[in-house]
Amino acid sequence: MTRWLLLSVWATGSMAACIPVGERILGADIGRAVPAFADIPGETVIDFAPPPGARRTYGPAELERLARRFGIRAEPGEEACFVRFAEPLTSERVQAALQAALPGESFELLEFSHQPAPPGELHFSPPAGSGSTWVWQGRISRAGQADFPVWARVRLRASGKRVVAAQPLRAGQPIARAQLGEEAMDVPPGAADLSQIVGRAPRRPIAAGLPILAAWLEDPADVLAGQPVTVEVRCGQALLRLEGRAQAPGKMGQVIPVRNPATGKIFRAMVAGRARVVLRTGPPDSPDAGANP
C-alpha cells in the first residue's frame, strides 16, 4: 500500500514542493504555491508559519475554504506546502560568536544545540555553571522577529582566581580586604575580582568559604545602623554641629532616625553624605521646622 501510494504521488506530482516562509504565511506565499490564489494581496496574513524546519501542508479541503474566504475559484484536489526556513548551527558559527563574547580567552566548545535555527545574528550571554564547564545561553536576533534561543557548553582553558569569603559577611556591611580570600580555578569571563568586591556590601549574609558573586553585592549605605554620625542642625543661616548615633542605615537623601547620646532623644534627619546627616529647624509654622534634637 505504501509503495503504491509513493508511486502514485511520483506519477501524478500531487505533493507540491514546499515554499519557504518567515514567521507568517502570507498571501504572496499562498499565491506562489497555488497560482489561483495569486490575486490575494501579498501582505495578507493567512496563518502562522510552522516551527523552524517544520512543514505546514494545506490539503484540498483547506484550500477550498480559503478560496471561498477570498472569493476565488480554485482547482479541486490541489495542495500547498510551506516550510519555515531553518538550518542547524555549525561549530564554526558557534565558535565565532563565542569568541566575540570572549575576546582574548581560550576555550573549548564541548556541545551546542542542534535544532534547526532561523537565519539571523548569533549572540551569547554570560554563562551559568560550575567547575570549569559553563553553559552559555545564546539567541539568534532578527529584525522584527522574536529571538530564537540556542545554547553552548564551553570549557575554559585559562585558569584564574575566584574570590571567597574568608569569614562570615553581614548583610549591608562594607566588605574589607581582610575578610576575603582567593582560590585558583577556572572562572567564567566577567567573574568578580577583588577590586569589584572590596568596599561593597552583601545584599544577604554570606557564609565563610562561599565564592562571592557580583549579583549578591550592592553599594553600601552612606550611614550604617549604630554608626556615629555628625549631625548638622540648620536654622536659616545658623549652623550647629553635634554628634549622634544612627538607628537605621540610609543612603544619600533618605531620612533616618538618629539618637542624641546626651539626651537619649530620637529625631529624624536626612542623610547628606558618609556618616553625616542634616536636620533643618525653624519656627513652628516654617516649612523647615523639624524635631528638636
Side-chain angles (χ1 to χ4, degrees):
M1 178 68 178
T2 302
R3 182 182 177 186
W4 178 86
L5 178 61
L6 290 174
L7 288 173
S8 182
V9 167
W10 175 81
T12 62
S14 61
M15 185 172 291
C18 287
I19 302 296
V21 296
E23 289 200 343
R24 301 286 189 275
I25 298 174
L26 303 177
D29 301 320
I30 200 89
R32 282 189 295 155
V34 182
F37 290 86
D39 290 336
I40 297 177
E43 295 302 315
T44 302
V45 176
I46 304 299
D47 200 353
F48 289 100
R55 296 184 177 193
R56 169 72 167 92
T57 301
Y58 284 77
E62 285 183 287
L63 288 181
E64 185 178 345
R65 287 193 295 270
L66 190 62
R68 288 198 301 267
R69 172 182 165 189
F70 289 97
I72 294 171
R73 181 178 178 82
E75 294 296 326
E78 288 191 297
E79 292 186 350
C81 177
F82 302 95
V83 62
R84 188 169 169 187
F85 179 78
E87 58 184 1
L89 295 174
T90 64
S91 60
E92 293 78 12
R93 185 182 178 193
V94 173
Q95 290 193 67
L98 286 168
Q99 194 66 72
L102 286 163
E105 297 283 349
S106 178
F107 64 90
E108 178 185 0
L109 176 60
L110 302 177
E111 191 180 1
F112 59 92
S113 49
H114 291 283
Q115 76 268 33
E121 191 170 355
L122 177 60
H123 305 274
F124 282 97
S125 301
S130 60
S132 61
T133 301
W134 306 89
V135 175
W136 284 70
Q137 301 299 326
R139 67 191 186 280
I140 295 176
S141 300
R142 301 154 292 160
Q145 308 289 343
D147 287 347
F148 185 86
V150 296
W151 58 270
R153 191 181 303 276
V154 177
R155 176 182 292 128
L156 299 178
R157 291 178 176 151
S159 294
K161 292 181 179 181
R162 70 173 182 179
V163 181
V164 298
Q167 56 185 260
L169 304 178
R170 295 174 56 191
Q173 296 292 320
I175 300 172
R177 174 63 184 90
Q179 296 176 291
L180 303 173
E182 292 181 291
E183 295 178 349
M185 66 169 295
D186 290 331
V187 296
D193 57 28
L194 286 171
S195 67
Q196 297 170 302
I197 296 175
V198 173
R200 303 198 74 200
R203 298 178 186 272
R204 60 175 180 81
I206 300 176
L210 283 182
I212 300 176
L213 304 181
W216 296 354
L217 306 177
E218 63 182 356
D219 291 332
D222 295 295
V223 172
L224 304 178
Q227 177 184 19
V229 293
T230 298
V231 182
E232 296 181 358
V233 183
R234 298 179 180 271
C235 182
Q237 298 299 316
L239 171 64
L240 172 67
R241 287 189 175 89
L242 55 86
E243 293 300 313
R245 187 170 294 274
Q247 302 300 292
K251 293 185 177 182
M252 186 82 72
Q254 293 181 329
V255 176
I256 62 171
V258 179
R259 182 183 296 275
N260 184 333
T263 65
K265 186 175 181 179
I266 294 178
F267 56 93
R268 298 180 67 80
M270 185 177 69
V271 177
R274 293 288 184 184
R276 184 168 69 92
V277 299
V278 171
L279 173 65
R280 296 186 181 275
T281 64
D285 58 348
S286 167
D288 289 334
N292 189 338

